[in-house]
Amino acid sequence: MVLDLDLEPVLEKLRARVGWLIVISGRERALLSSLLPPGWLAIGSYGLELPPDLSQTGQPEGFDPVSATAALERALDQLRVLSSELPGTLVEVKRWGVVLHYRAVPEVAEDRAHWRRFRAIAFGLGLAAVEGRQNYEMKAKGAPDKGWVIGRLVELLRPSAVTFTGDDLGDVPAWDKLRQLSGELPTLSVGVGSTEAPEVMASVCDVVLPGRDQLRPFCEAILQKAESG
């Protein structure tokens, strides 16, 4: 998730001009909402936690929270065993996911046997396995990704144009969705570069900013364009 709240003044001006400012994150929606200014739409757990503006139940249609919870509890036990065998890794428990973080031991990612084992655990429990920024995550199989969220937002809100900014592997489905939508309405896919940025970013984004310090001038340029147009 690309979010820097010192951008809030310019983003608030943008929201007043364009209508909706939405943050889509793997974080739980309650935490996400507590970090955001009033009026911003928060979509948590990659789309499993939707705001009332988009869903009466707060979840996508067809999602089975009981089965998902049971599978994630079983996965957590096995993930803790795996983590104990990989000193320096950490286990994070989310509402709709369990994560193995290896930021302190990046060599874990170099041995693909660890990823294959992680993925086998997930698949054995009917969960999806996802590679993130220095982490592996299990989440409910069939759970939405950011691309699904983008499509759903366009369907419900009927915007005249859409832009999405991201910096992680989990953002790739959103960039891909914008490419699919580009024949229907104006879209702009924006990536934020870093030493950890996915290689595919350069091929799926319309614009790649060199770093997070370029976000503010980029947003200011969009605001200037919106105000002049």
Side-chain angles (χ1 to χ4, degrees):
M1 179 186 69
V2 176
L3 179 60
D4 191 342
L5 292 185
D6 69 0
L7 292 173
E8 182 180 339
V10 65
L11 290 176
E12 278 292 276
K13 291 179 181 178
L14 262 177
R15 185 169 70 90
R17 299 290 303 186
V18 303
W20 294 286
L21 190 62
I22 303 168
V23 177
I24 310 169
S25 173
R27 298 182 184 184
E28 295 178 18
R29 186 172 178 273
L31 173 61
L32 191 60
S33 298
S34 71
L35 299 173
L36 298 177
W40 297 25
L41 286 182
I43 297 179
S45 300
Y46 302 105
L48 277 178
E49 297 180 300
L50 302 172
D53 313 62
L54 303 179
S55 170
Q56 291 184 347
T57 65
Q59 294 171 339
E61 294 179 7
F63 178 64
D64 184 349
V66 175
S67 296
T69 298
L72 289 168
E73 288 175 350
R74 293 193 295 271
L76 179 59
D77 292 336
Q78 296 189 47
L79 191 55
R80 283 174 171 156
V81 172
L82 176 58
S83 179
S84 70
E85 298 173 6
L86 298 171
T89 61
L90 297 173
V91 175
E92 178 188 3
V93 181
K94 296 182 177 180
R95 178 64 185 91
W96 297 114
V98 289
V99 188
L100 179 72
H101 292 277
Y102 54 80
R103 180 177 295 274
V105 280
E107 58 270 21
V108 167
E110 298 171 6
D111 186 345
R112 297 301 287 175
H114 299 315
W115 165 244
R116 290 192 293 270
R117 182 178 173 188
F118 182 93
R119 187 173 57 183
I121 293 172
F123 288 0
L125 295 170
L127 298 171
V130 181
E131 292 188 81
R133 174 180 284 191
Q134 296 191 328
N135 66 67
Y136 301 144
E137 181 169 357
M138 298 183 201
K139 57 183 183 178
K141 198 168 186 178
D145 57 27
K146 293 184 180 181
W148 177 89
V149 174
I150 293 291
R152 185 65 173 154
L153 289 170
V154 169
E155 178 184 340
L156 292 174
L157 302 179
R158 299 294 180 184
S160 58
V162 182
T163 183
F164 175 86
T165 303
D167 64 355
D168 200 353
L169 275 172
D171 299 315
V172 174
W175 292 321
D176 283 340
K177 187 63 178 180
L178 285 195
R179 284 199 297 178
Q180 296 172 23
L181 291 169
S182 62
E184 304 174 20
L185 75 169
T187 65
L188 180 64
S189 300
V190 182
V192 179
S194 73
T195 57
E196 301 172 357
E199 293 183 6
V200 71
M201 180 187 290
S203 62
V204 296
C205 291
D206 301 308
V207 176
V208 176
L209 304 177
R212 299 178 73 92
D213 61 330
Q214 295 300 305
L215 274 171
R216 187 180 186 94
F218 178 76
C219 291
E220 288 173 341
I222 292 180
L223 177 60
Q224 184 177 15
K225 181 71 173 178
E227 290 178 338
S228 64

